[in-house]
Amino acid sequence: MKIGIFSKLAAGAAMIALTAGAAKAQESVEVLHWWTSGGEAAALNVLKENLQKQGIGWQDMPVAGGSGVQAMTALRARVTSGDPPTAVQMLGFDIKDWAEMGVVGNLNDLATEQGWDKVIPAALQEFSKFDGDWIAAPVNVHSTNWLWLNKAALDKAGGEPPKNMDELFALLDKFKEQGITPLAHGGQPWQDGTLWESVVLSVGGMDFYKKAVIEADAEALSSDTMRQVFDNMSKLREYFDANFSGRDWNLSTALVIEGQAGAQQMGDWSKGEWLRAEKKPGEDFVCIRFPGTQGSVLFNSDQFVMFDVGEDKRNAQLKMAAAVEDPAFQIAFNTVKGSVPARTDVPDTEFDDCGKKGMKDLAEAAASGNLAGSLAHGHAQPSSVKEAVFDVVTQHLNGQITTDQALERLPQAVAAAQ
Ligand code: BGC
């Protein structure tokens, strides 16, 4: 008898719990992103757990492929079939493109309530807003002009970080003498483009980067300075290993972590892999600005765009956007991801030395006019132009076209894609 009453009560309680669970489960987000490496997934977990604590379910839609080219293809397919995901990781010009199509949600109320205008830097607002409306929630600021060095290999080579291209080549020669791969590079168009933009900045300086890449000036794109850029790219290629073709960026990072390679040029998401492998900046690895680019920052910012998927998802979308802009989340996420906060009012105390340097460099570059958008990561040109540049850069790096041909084709390809 007693057992019967208790089991009835228990069944009732279970029913209530189930109903409550069902009600909560309805509040969920489906998130399209390309954070599939170890470090990236660890950072994403911070967000997942944060939302789970608020009772918001997480439906994962990962699309592997650095810089998000494949993710954007997957997104087009979803939107075309009339079934866009709730929230999408997106970069710069892609945000503008989707906003123009009128398919994204408006975040103005939340932005006003949380005072985003005052704390999100102008360089990011440029992409988070469309026609004056907030349409994206910036998660972070990444930067691409970094070089990641294995500290033991660097010490063995004399311990002096290179400050310009000549010193970089001298260091890569020493790595070669050590019997390791001097430069771990993954031959994928976006990675070739990421290396290329650092070389453009190093060889030509910020004014040249702005002229050639941001303004897409035809003369700059075929200039003598650009010739030096391509010559340097050919020279760098001699320091890759035989298996570089098609390799994912995080596998190249792993080679440097394991000491099989000396260095990698890559954005600061690379640090996420080092941290994931329990390596420490200054002890196991050294982060420096790509030689010759000190004082300048090429940036990109991951932002979440909320698609207009109906009122029943709106609350979960707003909670997700609010969570992303929470200063505590900005610290928890970005210390794992390798990026720096998207807000200017977050202290650097919790960040490691590379993170502190990243924050300082960013603030200084913004103040001195030495901050510009990364082409390879969607913040300098629309995707069509970006991909046109990738084509030329990759063909040249793989020896399919000469430097003369690259200089001729680059302005043509850019003009055709505009
Ligand atoms: C994104 C980073 C990401 C990297 C590699 C970049 O475009 O901004 O968040 O870690 O691509 O996938």
Side-chain angles (χ1 to χ4, degrees), residues 290-418:
F290 187 76
T293 71
Q294 300 87 327
S296 290
V297 170
L298 300 184
F299 82 97
N300 65 294
S301 164
D302 295 302
Q303 309 212 16
F304 276 116
V305 172
M306 306 298 166
F307 273 73
D308 206 349
V309 286
E311 271 313 300
D312 55 331
K313 290 284 179 203
R314 179 104 183 120
N315 194 40
Q317 287 179 318
L318 291 176
K319 278 192 181 153
M320 179 171 165
V324 161
E325 299 314 327
D326 176 6
F329 168 81
Q330 286 281 323
I331 294 171
F333 179 92
N334 288 309
T335 45
V336 177
K337 183 69 170 63
S339 38
V340 304
R343 302 174 59 118
T344 50
D345 62 341
V346 175
D348 70 0
T349 19
E350 303 280 316
F351 287 78
D352 60 29
D353 287 350
C354 296
K356 285 193 170 83
K357 177 173 165 53
M359 288 172 79
K360 188 165 171 275
D361 286 356
L362 178 65
E364 287 175 3
S368 65
N370 287 307
L371 176 67
S374 153
L375 174 78
H377 297 270
H379 283 68
Q381 293 287 342
S383 287
S384 52
V385 176
K386 171 181 86 174
E387 283 168 32
V389 175
F390 285 176
D391 278 351
V392 177
V393 169
T394 292
Q395 283 178 24
H396 176 266
L397 193 62
N398 291 340
Q400 290 158 309
I401 56 172
T402 62
T403 294
D404 280 337
Q405 286 170 319
L407 291 173
E408 198 188 317
R409 288 194 199 170
L410 192 59
Q412 289 169 357
V414 166
Q418 269 169 339

Side-chain angles (χ1 to χ4, degrees), residues 34-35 40 65-68 89 91 140 142 190 249 269 300-302 337 376-377:
W34 63 93
W35 285 329
E40 291 172 329
S67 90
Q89 176 195 356
L91 297 172
N140 59 14
H142 269 305
W190 74 269
W249 67 272
W269 45 90
N300 65 294
S301 164
D302 295 302
K337 183 69 170 63
H377 297 270

